[in-house]
Amino acid sequence: MDWQIAENMRCDMAGYTKPGFAGTRHVVQIFPSGRQGDLPDELSSLILVGPIGTRLVLVTTRVGEYTNAAWRCIDLVKGAAFKTKDGRPGVRIPDLELLDKPDAHRTDPDFEQSFDAAADLASGKGWTFGRPGPIKERVVLIRVERVG
């Protein structure tokens, strides 16, 4: 898996090989000095913790413009994050292909829906958006940057 990390970023992630935070857990810590750890190629669910204004983009293609394939953007914004035990903002994504509340522990099978579609980052609205499609086990690049 490849990474593009903006300068002076600080966040933590836990990626899981199965939906609902099941399977093998992989932890990544991003510091201004670099990254420790890696996420699995079989990435299916994810937890992101960091300061408000952190943006994560999950990209599923290395060919051409990534917005032509399935992708998902996750923004840590006020009002759409939970607080961890130590008071840091975070979001949980129990299934990379479905929309759930930012603090969900699992996807509700009775109310499954996709996240909002957007042509690109500039036209996206809300705390998560992108181009719906097969994302689980297909993420090849993760971009970590600031919103805006």
Side-chain angles (χ1 to χ4, degrees):
M1 184 167 306
D2 294 329
W3 294 80
Q4 290 179 355
I5 302 171
E7 289 185 16
N8 297 318
M9 294 301 299
R10 174 66 182 107
C11 64
D12 298 318
M13 289 173 243
Y16 298 83
T17 57
K18 301 289 182 193
F21 312 113
T24 307
R25 180 178 189 240
H26 298 259
V27 175
V28 174
Q29 293 181 303
I30 296 175
F31 300 98
S33 60
R35 172 179 54 91
Q36 292 180 348
D38 205 357
L39 293 176
D41 291 336
E42 307 84 19
L43 184 65
S44 293
S45 54
L46 178 76
I47 298 171
L48 171 64
V49 176
I52 295 296
T54 301
R55 169 174 278 174
L56 191 70
V57 182
L58 306 174
V59 178
T60 63
T61 184
R62 288 187 173 102
V63 179
E65 187 65 30
Y66 77 88
T67 56
N68 293 331
W71 60 278
R72 184 169 184 175
C73 175
I74 302 157
D75 290 340
L76 280 175
V77 295
K78 280 190 176 185
F82 70 93
K83 294 281 185 181
T84 63
K85 291 178 185 177
D86 60 357
R88 297 171 61 203
V91 293
R92 293 186 193 103
I93 311 291
D95 189 315
L96 296 182
E97 297 173 5
L98 299 173
L99 176 65
D100 294 288
K101 293 179 181 178
D103 62 347
H105 288 279
R106 65 181 122 291
T107 297
D108 185 344
D110 294 332
F111 296 102
E112 287 184 0
Q113 63 180 336
S114 181
F115 50 87
D116 289 341
D120 54 29
L121 290 175
S123 62
K125 295 182 183 214
W127 70 274
T128 187
F129 54 87
R131 182 173 182 172
I135 296 176
K136 287 186 283 195
E137 301 184 13
R138 293 176 180 238
V139 176
V140 295
L141 170 69
I142 297 180
R143 293 175 44 184
V144 183
E145 55 197 33
R146 282 180 193 74
V147 176

